[in-house]
Amino acid sequence: MLTFIGLGLYDEKDITVKGLEAVRRADIVYAEFYTSHLMGTSIEKMEELYGRKVTVLTREDVEQNTSWLSLAKEKNVVFLTGGDAMVATTHIDLRLRAIDMGIDTAIIHAPSISSAVSGLSGLQNYRFGKSTTIPFPYTRRDKTIISEAPYDTIKMNRRNNLHTLVFLDIDREKGFMRIGEAVSILMEMEERRGEGVLVNALAVGIARAGSDSPVAHADYLEKLKDYDFGRPLHTLIIPAQLHFIEAEALVKLCGAPQDIMK
């Protein structure tokens, strides 16, 4: 049996009671933190609360190595992930591979940033379109490459009057992308494309969702770049046209400019 268990948003205590019970019953406990990361905890704190040893898998282990996965044919194996257990596509792929290997699977869900952003910002969850991720720029043949896929996703969503949830890259060497970096990349895309998608665009920054001190701040994109959101993890939202209740929520909950209510 392979059980996927979400760990929630911030620390080792975000796991559900059902998830904690499943971890304590498991023969082997694995975890991955390259798709998301719990900033308020450590492996040592998790092991202390869960009462089990936690083995952290790399991206290569999860996506290419099947030796650990094969153990679930005979043993009760748990696979821990930040947020909800099935938000990342790579986890769905892993579950399908397990099924192809004849392994029974189960899921225990947990809080996810996909739902938390609505509560923190006041934006209505059913009005979110396709999400996107801003990756760190990289160099190829002495040329800096910036993916324009996030710009295209935001453009499509705004055309359909839908909000865009923008995840920020996590890189083993470069660390955690911050909102200021993400905004700079988006503004560079706008300058390069010149399509006006992000001209005078409102944006909402979310930091440390699930912690005791989350930050949710809204402003026009070029001003948001200089706002101090503090420690990661950071997430960005590019809203569509606002319902009047959403506009009021952004002003009262996120300190957005009053003129968005006109």
Side-chain angles (χ1 to χ4, degrees), residues 191-205:
E191 184 176 353
R192 180 187 304 174
R193 297 278 291 264
E195 298 178 30
V197 172
L198 298 173
V199 173
N200 297 321
L202 189 69
V204 186

Side-chain angles (χ1 to χ4, degrees), residues 135-148 174 185 188 192:
F136 282 107
Y138 63 95
T139 302
R140 177 190 294 169
R141 298 175 184 173
D142 298 325
K143 182 179 180 181
T144 300
I145 307 297
I146 298 178
S147 170
E148 295 188 0
K174 297 178 180 179
I185 291 172
E188 184 173 342
R192 180 187 304 174

Side-chain angles (χ1 to χ4, degrees), residues 184-243:
S184 295
I185 291 172
L186 288 176
M187 293 175 68
E188 184 173 342
M189 291 181 197
E190 180 59 68
E191 184 176 353
R192 180 187 304 174
R193 297 278 291 264
E195 298 178 30
V197 172
L198 298 173
V199 173
N200 297 321
L202 189 69
V204 186
I206 305 288
R208 297 178 303 285
S211 74
D212 292 333
S213 57
V215 173
H217 182 71
D219 207 333
Y220 293 104
L221 195 63
E222 62 272 15
K223 293 184 178 180
L224 202 70
K225 180 169 72 73
D226 299 319
Y227 188 83
D228 183 9
F229 284 90
R231 297 176 292 105
L233 291 173
H234 291 182
T235 309
L236 189 65
I237 307 169
I238 306 297
Q241 294 179 5
L242 298 172
H243 183 276

Side-chain angles (χ1 to χ4, degrees), residues 148-157 159 189 193 195:
E148 295 188 0
Y151 188 93
D152 291 326
T153 298
I154 295 168
K155 177 182 176 181
M156 176 185 67
N157 284 340
R159 184 188 302 130
M189 291 181 197
R193 297 278 291 264
E195 298 178 30

Side-chain angles (χ1 to χ4, degrees), residues 80-100:
L80 306 176
T81 67
D84 186 67
M86 280 294 147
V87 169
T89 304
T90 188
H91 302 153
I92 298 172
D93 176 70
L94 179 59
R95 188 183 185 202
L96 294 177
R97 285 191 284 130
I99 291 172
D100 288 342

Side-chain angles (χ1 to χ4, degrees), residues 22-123:
V23 170
R24 290 176 174 172
R25 289 195 304 267
D27 298 316
I28 307 172
V29 180
Y30 292 109
E32 70 82 4
F33 295 111
Y34 66 86
T35 59
S36 185
H37 196 86
L38 272 63
M39 300 301 294
T41 192
S42 64
I43 294 298
E44 291 74 21
K45 290 181 179 179
M46 292 169 59
E47 290 179 336
E48 182 179 359
L49 176 62
Y50 304 162
R52 302 303 311 279
K53 175 178 173 52
V54 177
T55 301
V56 179
L57 301 173
T58 66
R59 178 188 291 268
E60 291 73 22
D61 288 329
V62 175
E63 297 180 357
Q64 300 175 23
N65 187 357
T66 59
S67 59
W68 69 271
L69 186 57
S70 299
L71 297 174
K73 292 181 178 180
E74 304 294 337
K75 295 182 178 294
N76 184 8
V77 176
V78 156
F79 181 76
L80 306 176
T81 67
D84 186 67
M86 280 294 147
V87 169
T89 304
T90 188
H91 302 153
I92 298 172
D93 176 70
L94 179 59
R95 188 183 185 202
L96 294 177
R97 285 191 284 130
I99 291 172
D100 288 342
M101 294 171 65
I103 298 169
D104 292 332
T105 65
I107 306 170
I108 299 177
H109 297 283
S112 167
I113 190 65
S114 298
S115 56
V117 293
S118 293
L120 289 169
S121 67
L123 296 175

